[in-house]
């Protein structure tokens, strides 16, 4: 017969620390990482109190910083940054734009499924942030409100974290918690750790559920229009349309044999037809030129990238026998909002360009810029830029690549009035990035050592030049690292002090003699609740020891109960407390009620599917 546990002073202290932790997280009294560090410090101070058995040893107090889980999280972040730095993720995004069509039922599965796949190997917040501009562009081109695309993408980014054991911080942390729990278990109840793809069938089922949910019920649960606050800063495209009347619609056309402009230079075309849309790009002879030089000849079958109001462009093309094509193909990458856009350039009083004709400066050839308008005092110049003489204070509205605009910002001849966030991609390092990413996965499959395997892949990224060491440091979310490392000793204290066992005993006494699956449902509900009011890492650290003790008490599988906790901490859809949901709330114009409506059903589906799959396959 198992001896009944009695409440001790040490247990009371641990429960007091648990209460403080939950209060700090739930009411956001401190930043989550600061709160976690404070709890670790309080735990350390208890070792100095006379007459109190140490809740953790002084060596274990800082063991979180050297744990496999923390090292693995750091390595995953670096590997994800390396893949992004090569532009590999951007190419995936561009492919979706070409294949996605213009209907919700095609776009949602493509975008959400791809984000889920990426999220299974990198932090879900990174996957969601990567696809935010992609969804924005899709929304602009299809007239589908972002509010109907962002929530499915965000939910599937969270669900994708359940596909592999490195997809989310709770799953990375789980094996360490199992090893820690094994110290207090008899030999016959010791738990094996999980492999990289142990949860893949379960994760894929959850992702499929999420995708099908929004495909079938999205029109009922998603808001039809964005409810953005009027005071919120508009996107750059909205700004330029409102201030300058410039619409950023990008259209690809082909010059047909019937076109009277065939054989003309861009210069001749623009002089002969002042209403010609802005020509941003040209494809001829297997070469893409962005922007094209004014002396470039327009041949039959030349592809041009035009910017302006789509109806006006289509009318111009009909009149001049230019064929309007579908979504940009030849220019899909170069005209992507991630690579180029509209900006304001001011000519300062000391600029050496003052007094020079724009035609002599050749801004397209020398600076890679297409001038769209010139603002001079109260005048707006929309045509005939070539003969204009630059004056101090002239504001040039231009379209250019972010790379060229970044170069202009270093020149004393210009003042860039638009914030440019250009990152120089290392596209020549795609093979190295992919190779070291795969190496990390293969090593883990062969050796079952997650931290060493992933750190090998991460350092390979640095040594091969995919990332510099400074960029690797920048890629790491140190807030997440300190949050995770600071809460690990609290989890050890909950387990070793007997607190988890005592709480498990009381829960069993409260629910009575019930089947194991009922207890599993209770654990899943607890994890779901905790992850809504505190971090999923904190919920995992606190509840895994509890779940293990409940399973041991009723002679159930403790590893299954522990995995139930780690999976259920991804069930964070009801309110926008998860990082991904918080990221998308502003751009999607969502309100809490939107998450409660769509997330409430998703929460129930998650519980049903996850519990069913856990018991069928695990």
């Amino acid at each position: 017969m198992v001896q009944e546990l009695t409440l001790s002073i040490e247990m009371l202290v641990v429960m007091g620390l648990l209460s403080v932790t939950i209060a700090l997280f739930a009411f956001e009294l401190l930043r989550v990482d600061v709160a976690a560090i404070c709890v670790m410090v309080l735990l350390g101070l208890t070792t100095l109190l006379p007459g109190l058995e140490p809740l953790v040893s002084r060596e274990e107090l800082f063991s979180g910083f050297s744990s496999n889980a923390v090292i693995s999280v750091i390595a995953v972040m670096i590997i994800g940054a390396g893949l992004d730095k090569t532009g590999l993720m951007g190419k995936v995004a561009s492919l979706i734009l070409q294949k996605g069509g213009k209907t919700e039922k095609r776009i949602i599965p493509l975008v959400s499924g791809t984000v889920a796949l990426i999220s299974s190997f990198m932090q879900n917040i990174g996957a969601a942030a990567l696809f935010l501009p992609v969804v924005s562009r899709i929304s602009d081109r299809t007239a589908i409100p972002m509010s109907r695309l962002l929530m499915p993408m965000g939910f599937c980014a969270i669900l994708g974290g359940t596909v592999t054991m490195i997809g989310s911080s709770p799953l990375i942390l789980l094996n360490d918690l199992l090893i820690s729990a094994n110290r207090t278990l008899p030999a016959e109840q010791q738990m094996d750790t999980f492999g990289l793809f142990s949860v893949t069938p379960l994760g894929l089922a959850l992702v499929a559920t999420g995708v099908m949910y929004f495909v079938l019920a999205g029109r009922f649960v998603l808001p039809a229009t964005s409810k953005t606050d009027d005071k919120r800063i508009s996107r750059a495209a909205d700004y330029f349309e409102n201030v300058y009347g410039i619409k950023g619609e990008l259209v690809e056309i082909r010059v047909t044999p019937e076109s009277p402009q065939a054989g003309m230079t861009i210069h001749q075309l623009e002089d002969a037809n002042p209403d010609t849309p802005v020509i941003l790009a040209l494809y001829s002879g297997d070469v893409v030129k962005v922007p094209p030089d004014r002396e470039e000849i327009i041949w039959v079958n030349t592809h041009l990238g035009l910017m302006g109001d789509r109806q006006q462009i289509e009318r111009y093309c009909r009149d001049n026998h230019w064929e309007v094509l579908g979504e940009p193909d030849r220019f899909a990458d170069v005209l992507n909002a991630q690579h180029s856009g509209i900006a304001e350039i001011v000519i300062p009083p000391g600029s050496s360009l003052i007094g020079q004709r724009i035609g002599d400066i050749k801004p397209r050839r020398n600076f890679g810029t297409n001038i769209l308008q010139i603002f001079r005092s109260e005048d707006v110049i929309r045509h005939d830029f070539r003969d204009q003489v630059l004056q101090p204070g002239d504001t040039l509205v231009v379209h250019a690549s972010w790379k060229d605009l970044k170069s202009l910002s270093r020149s004393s001849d210009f003042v860039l009035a638009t914030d440019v966030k250009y990152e120089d991609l290392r596209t020549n390092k795609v093979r190295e990035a992919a190779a070291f990413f795969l190496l990390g996965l293969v090593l883990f499959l062969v050796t079952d050592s997650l931290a060493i395997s992933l750190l090998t892949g991460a350092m390979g990224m640095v040594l091969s030049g995919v990332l510099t060491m400074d960029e690797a440091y920048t890629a790491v979310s140190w807030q997440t690292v300190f949050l995770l490392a600071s809460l690990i000793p609290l989890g050890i204290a909950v387990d070793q002090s007997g607190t988890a066992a005592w709480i498990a005993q009381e829960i069993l006494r409260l629910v009575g003699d019930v089947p194991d699956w009922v207890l599993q449902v209770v654990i899943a509900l607890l994890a779901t609740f905790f992850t809504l009011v505190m971090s999923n890492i904190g919920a995992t650290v606190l509840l895994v020891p509890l779940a293990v003790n409940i399973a041991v008490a009723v002679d159930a599988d403790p590893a299954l109960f522990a995995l139930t906790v780690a999976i259920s901490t991804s069930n964070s859809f009801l309110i926008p407390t998860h990082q991904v949901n918080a990221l998308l709330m502003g751009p999607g114009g969502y309100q809490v009620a939107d998450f409660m409506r769509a997330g409430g059903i998703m929460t129930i589906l998650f519980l049903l599917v996850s519990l069913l799959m856990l018991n069928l396959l695990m």
Side-chain angles (χ1 to χ4, degrees):
M1 183 175 179
V2 180
Q3 183 178 359
E4 183 173 336
L5 295 173
T6 57
L7 199 59
S8 66
I9 296 176
E10 288 76 19
M11 292 181 188
L12 287 172
V13 172
V14 170
M15 284 193 284
L17 288 174
L18 285 175
S19 301
V20 169
T21 304
I22 294 171
L24 290 176
F25 284 172
F27 298 106
E28 299 181 353
L29 302 177
L30 294 172
R31 237 175 60 166
V32 289
D33 52 336
V34 176
I37 295 171
C38 288
V39 170
M40 182 181 66
V41 171
L42 289 174
L43 190 59
L45 290 175
T46 62
T47 64
L48 306 178
L49 296 177
L52 183 70
E53 287 291 327
L55 304 178
V56 293
S57 66
R58 294 185 183 182
E59 291 76 17
E60 289 176 319
L61 182 63
F62 302 110
S63 62
F65 291 94
S66 61
S67 70
N68 287 323
V70 169
I71 300 301
S72 299
V73 168
I74 292 173
V76 165
M77 292 176 180
I78 294 173
I79 290 173
L83 293 174
D84 192 25
K85 188 69 175 178
T86 62
L88 191 60
M89 298 306 186
K91 290 182 179 179
V92 172
S94 296
L95 183 62
I96 290 175
L97 286 176
Q98 295 176 27
K99 306 296 183 183
K102 292 190 175 183
T103 63
E104 278 188 43
K105 289 191 175 181
R106 286 194 61 189
I107 292 172
I108 287 177
L110 271 174
V111 172
S112 301
T114 304
V115 171
L117 176 64
I118 294 173
S119 181
S120 65
F121 293 104
M122 66 184 293
Q123 292 292 298
N124 44 35
I125 183 68
L130 177 68
F131 270 76
L132 184 56
V134 177
V135 173
S136 175
R137 186 175 175 218
I138 292 173
S139 175
D140 288 340
R141 292 191 174 279
T142 60
I144 300 173
M146 284 185 67
S147 58
R148 300 189 68 82
L149 299 177
L150 282 181
M151 191 177 289
M153 183 268 282
F155 280 17
C156 286
I158 297 172
L159 294 171
T162 65
V163 175
T164 69
M165 289 298 292
I166 61 173
S168 65
S169 297
L171 286 173
I172 292 175
L173 177 61
L174 179 60
N175 281 337
D176 271 18
L177 293 176
L178 295 184
I179 294 171
S180 176
N182 280 339
R183 300 173 189 167
T184 61
L185 296 178
E188 65 274 9
Q189 292 178 320
Q190 297 281 304
M191 297 173 287
D192 294 328
T193 55
F194 293 97
L196 177 62
F197 298 109
S198 296
V199 294
T200 299
L202 166 62
L204 291 177
L206 288 171
V207 170
T209 300
V211 172
M212 291 302 297
Y213 167 55
F214 282 110
V215 169
L216 298 176
R219 57 179 176 166
F220 304 111
V221 299
L222 293 171
T225 56
S226 298
K227 304 176 183 126
T228 48
D229 188 344
D230 291 337
K231 296 181 180 179
R232 188 173 61 84
I233 299 176
S234 300
R235 291 178 297 147
D238 296 332
Y239 167 76
F240 283 103
E241 182 174 350
N242 293 334
V243 175
Y244 298 110
I246 296 174
K247 293 187 177 181
E249 180 81 19
L250 300 173
V251 180
E252 184 171 341
I253 66 95
R254 183 182 69 88
V255 178
T256 67
E258 294 78 20
S259 172
Q261 290 89 359
M264 297 175 63
T265 65
I266 292 178
H267 177 197
Q268 292 170 334
L269 170 63
E270 292 176 339
D271 285 350
N273 301 276
D275 295 330
T276 301
V278 178
I279 300 174
L280 298 182
L282 178 146
Y283 171 83
S284 180
D286 295 328
V287 177
V288 175
K289 298 182 180 180
V290 183
D293 190 88
R294 286 173 56 84
E295 303 305 321
E296 195 73 40
I297 298 176
I298 300 173
W299 303 108
V300 172
N301 292 326
T302 293
H303 287 227
L304 299 176
L306 307 180
M307 188 185 76
D309 180 79
R310 190 176 186 91
Q311 291 183 346
Q312 293 179 4
I313 291 176
E314 290 177 346
R315 185 166 53 251
Y316 182 92
C317 291
R318 280 196 305 270
D319 294 342
N320 294 278
H321 302 286
W322 290 4
E323 179 187 1
V324 177
L325 305 177
E327 293 296 309
D329 181 15
R330 305 291 183 183
F331 313 124
D333 289 332
V334 293
L335 295 184
N336 191 314
Q338 298 178 30
H339 300 93
S340 62
I342 304 173
E344 296 166 300
I345 298 174
V346 178
I347 305 299
S351 173
S352 63
L353 302 178
I354 293 174
Q356 296 190 44
R357 290 174 65 251
I358 289 179
D360 297 331
I361 296 171
K362 295 181 171 55
R364 291 182 179 178
R365 180 184 301 175
N366 296 326
F367 305 115
T369 58
N370 252 313
I371 298 178
L372 307 178
Q373 291 182 13
I374 300 176
F375 271 65
R376 178 176 295 160
S377 298
E378 300 297 324
D379 298 327
V380 182
I381 303 170
R382 293 186 170 88
H383 302 289
D384 302 323
F385 304 127
R386 194 164 181 253
D387 295 325
Q388 295 296 324
V389 177
L390 289 176
Q391 299 178 14
D394 280 353
T395 299
L396 312 181
V397 183
V398 304
H399 185 280
S401 70
W402 303 128
K403 181 179 181 180
D404 287 331
L405 288 170
K406 189 70 174 180
S407 299
L408 284 178
S409 68
R410 303 188 188 101
S411 171
S412 59
D413 289 329
F414 305 98
V415 174
L416 196 61
T418 303
D419 184 28
V420 175
K421 296 180 180 179
Y422 168 71
E423 184 179 11
D424 189 15
L425 297 179
R426 300 189 179 105
T427 54
N428 61 320
K429 295 291 183 179
V430 171
R431 291 183 179 179
E432 290 88 340
F436 282 109
F437 168 63
L438 293 175
L439 175 62
L441 296 185
V442 171
L443 281 176
F444 179 49
L445 292 174
V446 174
T447 65
D448 202 31
S449 176
L450 181 61
I452 295 175
S453 302
L454 293 179
L455 199 57
T456 300
M459 288 311 299
M461 296 276 188
V462 174
L463 294 176
S464 63
V466 176
L467 293 172
T468 67
M469 198 61 202
D470 288 339
E471 289 169 340
Y473 285 136
T474 303
V476 177
S477 170
W478 295 107
Q479 180 182 17
T480 301
V481 169
F482 274 84
L483 172 64
L484 178 56
S486 300
L487 287 178
I488 285 176
L490 179 60
I492 295 173
V494 169
D495 193 15
Q496 294 185 357
S497 66
T499 305
W502 183 85
I503 296 175
Q505 171 187 284
E506 297 305 307
I507 289 177
L508 290 173
R509 180 179 295 168
L510 179 65
V511 299
D513 187 15
V514 295
D516 294 350
W517 67 267
V518 175
L519 294 173
Q520 195 179 357
V521 170
V522 171
I523 289 169
L525 290 172
L526 281 173
T528 301
F529 170 74
F530 270 65
T531 200
L532 292 175
V533 299
M534 63 191 300
S535 75
N536 54 7
I537 296 172
T540 305
V541 169
L542 299 183
L543 293 178
V544 164
L546 173 64
V548 169
N549 279 275
I550 289 177
V552 169
V554 298
D555 200 26
D557 183 358
L560 178 63
F561 275 45
L563 182 59
T564 300
V565 171
I567 291 293
S568 298
T569 53
S570 291
N571 193 3
S572 184
F573 310 105
L574 193 59
I575 54 177
T577 51
H578 193 283
Q579 284 180 313
V580 171
N581 293 335
L583 170 71
L584 303 181
M585 195 169 181
Y590 298 120
Q591 297 178 352
V592 175
D594 296 324
F595 280 95
M596 294 185 72
R597 181 171 58 253
I601 299 174
M602 188 69 242
T603 297
I604 296 171
L605 290 174
F606 187 104
L607 286 168
L608 292 174
V609 174
S610 62
L611 290 172
L612 180 64
M613 295 296 292
L614 279 166
N615 286 280
L616 285 178
L617 300 177
M618 305 307 295

